[in-house]
Amino acid sequence: FRMLSRAALLFALVAFATSGLVKRDATPAKRVVGVKGILVCGQEPAKDVVVKLFRVNHPLKEKKEDLTQVLDEGKTGPSGMFHLEGNTNGFALNETTIDGTLSIYHSCDEDAAKAAKNGYRRVNVNIPEEYVTLGAKAKKAFDIGTLNLQVIYSGEKTVKLANPDEKKN
């Protein structure tokens, strides 16, 4: 009887530890997040818009973001579509969590040369936690749908980019 109760206790402990009741992401591990969508400016596709996927959200009051936290970046295509994906590979062990944020830098309804000089409008979109998974490839990208950049979004800021045509090495 004593042997049976020890075996039952051991089984219960193993079942509890692997059931999801214990937070498994408490240990450092590579995480990944993906985001996709379509950007428009009124009725036209917003092409060549700079989009960046950050590991952590940068406070709205900050004019500059921490470029060391960029997971992926790119530009929208001719149809305004984009798809970004990044993981924490290469980050320090204490930087393996992801509080994903998509930043969109655009000059919709503004003169592009003036925006390059004075700054681009930056819109931030927080990515829900369920789209952050363990691994190197995203299991499912968060689809933001179609965003019209003519809208002035809450928390929107004007920021300068060193050179929006410059790609990260």
Side-chain angles (χ1 to χ4, degrees), residues 48-65:
D48 296 323
V49 172
V50 174
V51 287
K52 295 182 183 183
L53 177 58
F54 285 86
R55 185 183 73 81
V56 292
N57 188 359
H58 36 268
L60 291 174
K61 64 181 183 188
E62 290 185 13
K63 289 244 178 208
K64 289 181 127 184
E65 54 275 315

Side-chain angles (χ1 to χ4, degrees), residues 2-58:
R2 191 173 214 174
M3 184 66 136
L4 180 61
S5 61
R6 281 187 185 171
L9 179 62
L10 181 62
F11 176 80
L13 285 173
V14 169
F16 177 77
T18 59
S19 69
L21 295 174
V22 173
K23 191 169 182 156
R24 282 183 235 149
D25 61 0
T27 59
K30 187 187 310 181
R31 288 180 176 65
V32 63
V33 65
V35 61
K36 65 181 180 177
I38 300 172
L39 304 178
V40 297
C41 181
Q43 298 296 314
E44 298 296 317
K47 61 182 179 182
D48 296 323
V49 172
V50 174
V51 287
K52 295 182 183 183
L53 177 58
F54 285 86
R55 185 183 73 81
V56 292
N57 188 359
H58 36 268

Side-chain angles (χ1 to χ4, degrees), residues 10 30 39 44 50 72 76 95 103-104 109 121 144 153 157:
L10 181 62
K30 187 187 310 181
L39 304 178
E44 298 296 317
V50 174
D72 194 13
T76 56
E95 294 183 341
S103 289
I104 303 165
D109 285 346
R121 291 168 56 194
I144 66 166
Y153 292 93
K157 296 287 180 191

Side-chain angles (χ1 to χ4, degrees), residues 94-122:
N94 64 343
E95 294 183 341
T96 59
T97 59
I98 293 178
D99 180 22
T101 301
L102 169 68
S103 289
I104 303 165
Y105 305 85
H106 69 94
S107 59
C108 178
D109 285 346
E110 296 179 18
D111 178 67
K114 194 174 181 182
K117 181 180 177 188
N118 298 329
Y120 292 85
R121 291 168 56 194
R122 179 184 75 192

